[in-house]
Amino acid sequence: MSRESLATRLHIFNPNPNPAVRGDAKILSNWLETIRQARNMTAHHDRFWNETSTRIAPKLPKHRSGSHAKGWWGNDWDIFRKSSGPAAFLTMENYLTSQIDGPAWTEKFISLMDRYPQIPKSDMGFPDGWRVSPLWRVDGSAH
């Protein structure tokens, strides 16, 4: 299976108007490298929950406007474009796991955040309204 095919299966789409070019292999490669970096950080007991370095900042899909914007999966990421900290990474991880295994990881993560309300979500880079964004909704309406 090619990287483009895998990206297509994971709903990581390229904004190219050519319908033959679907999966965005560049974003997929970046996301896999970002996961590797996060794995190394946690394996070596580095700080993660309020990490601000770019090594765990995944490349986000491009925003689209105009007639091509309706339903474009990249626009769902807009509230995370200015996030620092692991919020964009965790959202990327959530997106990938939901494509593979449905909402199970999302539900566990939200339950974990609910158990520790004293943790400032803004320090993690989570913007206001993150839980109702299409990328975090558990009602099945996310892409």
Side-chain angles (χ1 to χ4, degrees):
M1 175 179 291
S2 71
R3 289 182 300 165
E4 290 82 6
S5 297
L6 180 58
T8 300
R9 288 185 71 184
L10 293 171
H11 294 109
I12 301 170
F13 297 121
N14 189 315
N16 191 321
N18 179 351
V21 181
R22 294 289 293 160
D24 194 327
K26 288 181 182 178
I27 287 182
L28 176 61
S29 295
N30 172 270
W31 285 9
L32 294 173
E33 174 59 21
T34 304
I35 291 169
R36 186 187 73 77
Q37 290 287 346
R39 179 259 171 225
N40 288 344
M41 286 175 61
T42 56
H44 296 285
H45 308 288
D46 286 352
R47 179 175 56 119
F48 182 83
W49 79 273
N50 64 348
E51 175 64 43
T52 58
S53 78
T54 58
R55 62 185 171 160
I56 61 164
K59 178 179 180 180
L60 300 182
K62 294 178 180 174
H63 175 85
R64 297 202 63 189
S65 60
S67 62
H68 300 291
K70 187 174 174 84
W72 174 243
W73 79 287
N75 293 351
D76 292 345
W77 294 84
D78 286 351
I79 69 167
F80 295 97
R81 294 197 190 281
K82 294 183 178 157
S83 289
S84 60
F89 173 85
L90 292 165
T91 302
M92 176 264 305
E93 183 174 16
N94 176 59
Y95 185 82
L96 289 175
T97 57
S98 68
Q99 299 307 313
I100 296 165
D101 196 31
W105 193 90
T106 306
E107 291 166 349
K108 288 176 186 174
F109 182 81
I110 288 174
S111 174
L112 179 67
M113 293 292 100
D114 288 345
R115 259 185 288 162
Y116 298 98
Q118 71 277 16
I119 295 175
K121 311 310 182 276
S122 60
D123 287 357
M124 296 176 72
F126 282 102
D128 292 338
W130 69 274
R131 287 176 70 160
V132 296
S133 75
L135 297 167
W136 284 100
R137 281 197 306 247
V138 201
D139 61 7
S141 58
H143 295 278

